[in-house]
């Protein structure tokens, strides 16, 4: 029994040490500011450049029905810009949270605009397995696909319009419950920014 306890402690300590070595950055931006965010924060790279590769996980806030047509246009333009700035060595993933949670596109070259455009156009049907918590799922996903010597970043794309679209169809009895859920979702979405402010 003592041997088992010691083994468990060693495994637990090893997991803690490994998890402390994982560095995943978090950025948060509204969907309307995504293009300017990419311009300001993601520099252009050449193929075979010395710069670390980028593993970007985009966590997009959706309504229960998906993404509006105007938001799809913004996202497609943003990812097109991204494809001009990144190389085939880099990869992006598209995950969702709020209206529905899951992985819509996993580790794809930013140059693969056809797959990205299809995913954005059919984002809900692209999620093969829905999760309970999209934000928690995003961090688990980023840790699972973590690579050393790379820029591992989760970019949370907040979409306040998605929350309002979700509320339109609820009955008056459910409205109060939904408002509390919206406040909770908003607080969770802003958590990485609050953590960043506290650390600074």
């Amino acid at each position: 029994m003592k041997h088992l306890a010691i083994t468990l402690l060693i495994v637990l300590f090893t997991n803690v040490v490994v998890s402390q070595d994982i560095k995943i950055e978090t950025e948060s931006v509204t969907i309307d500011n995504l293009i300017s965010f990419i311009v300001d924060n993601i520099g252009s790279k050449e193929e075979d450049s010395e710069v670390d590769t980028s593993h970007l996980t985009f966590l997009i806030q959706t309504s229960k029905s998906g993404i509006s047509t105007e938001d799809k246009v913004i996202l497609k333009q943003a990812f097109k810009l991204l494809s001009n700035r990144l190389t085939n060595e880099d990869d992006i993933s598209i995950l969702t949270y709020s209206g529905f949670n899951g992985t819509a596109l996993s580790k794809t070259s930013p140059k693969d605009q056809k797959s990205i455009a299809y995913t954005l156009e059919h984002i809900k049907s692209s999620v093969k397995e829905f999760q309970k918590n999209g934000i928690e799922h995003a961090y688990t996903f980023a840790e699972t696909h973590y690579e050393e010597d790379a820029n591992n970043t989760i970019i949370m794309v907040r979409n306040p319009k998605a929350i309002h679209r979700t509320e339109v169809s609820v009955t008056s009895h459910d409205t109060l419950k939904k408002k509390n859920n919206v406040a909770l979702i908003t607080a969770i979405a802003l958590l990485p920014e609050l953590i960043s402010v506290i650390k600074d």
Side-chain angles (χ1 to χ4, degrees):
M1 183 70 177
K2 185 177 179 184
H3 185 323
L4 178 62
I6 291 171
T7 305
L8 286 173
L9 282 172
I10 290 170
V11 169
L12 179 64
F13 178 76
T14 304
N15 286 340
V16 169
V17 169
V18 168
S19 66
Q20 287 176 346
D21 289 339
I22 293 177
K23 183 184 177 197
I24 298 169
E25 294 181 24
T26 303
E27 301 284 353
S28 181
V29 62
T30 61
I31 197 164
D32 293 333
N33 295 320
L34 181 58
I35 292 173
S36 59
F37 171 84
I38 291 170
V39 170
D40 294 340
N41 295 283
I42 300 175
S44 294
K45 295 198 292 187
E46 300 293 326
E47 296 289 342
D48 301 323
S49 66
E50 297 289 321
V51 182
D52 289 345
T53 57
S54 294
H55 299 287
L56 307 179
T57 302
F58 286 86
L59 179 59
I60 302 172
Q61 185 175 21
T62 64
S63 69
K64 287 184 179 178
S65 59
I67 304 172
S68 72
T69 303
E70 63 187 51
D71 291 337
K72 286 177 187 175
V73 171
I74 294 171
L75 289 167
K76 286 176 184 176
Q77 290 301 315
F79 282 104
K80 190 171 183 181
L81 172 63
L82 199 61
S83 75
N84 294 329
R85 292 180 164 249
L86 298 178
T87 69
N88 281 314
E89 299 295 315
D90 305 305
D91 61 65
I92 63 163
S93 300
I94 299 175
L95 280 67
T96 63
Y97 78 103
S98 190
F100 53 90
N101 310 304
T103 303
L105 185 65
S106 180
K107 291 194 73 164
T108 301
S109 167
K111 304 291 187 187
D112 187 1
Q113 285 297 295
K114 189 175 179 181
S115 295
I116 294 167
Y118 180 87
T119 300
L120 295 172
E121 195 62 43
H122 308 281
I123 196 157
K124 190 167 187 177
S125 61
S126 295
V127 176
K128 302 303 179 204
E129 186 177 341
F130 293 99
Q131 306 293 326
K132 285 186 178 179
N133 185 315
I135 295 173
E136 184 180 315
H137 172 64
Y139 283 94
T140 303
F141 178 90
E143 285 177 16
T144 303
H145 296 91
Y146 181 84
E147 288 192 26
E148 281 189 51
D149 302 324
N151 170 22
N152 297 274
T153 306
I154 294 174
I155 300 172
M156 184 178 288
V157 183
R158 293 177 282 110
N159 189 358
K161 293 174 281 185
I163 296 173
H164 297 303
R165 276 195 295 276
T166 304
E167 289 182 318
V168 170
S169 61
V170 283
T171 62
S172 58
H173 176 69
D174 293 330
T175 303
L176 183 60
K177 289 181 184 176
K178 277 288 180 192
K179 285 183 180 175
N180 290 338
N181 288 343
V182 169
L184 178 61
I185 289 168
T186 305
I188 290 171
L190 293 175
L191 186 60
E193 288 179 323
L194 294 173
I195 291 170
S196 172
V197 169
I198 291 167
K199 283 182 180 176
D200 292 343

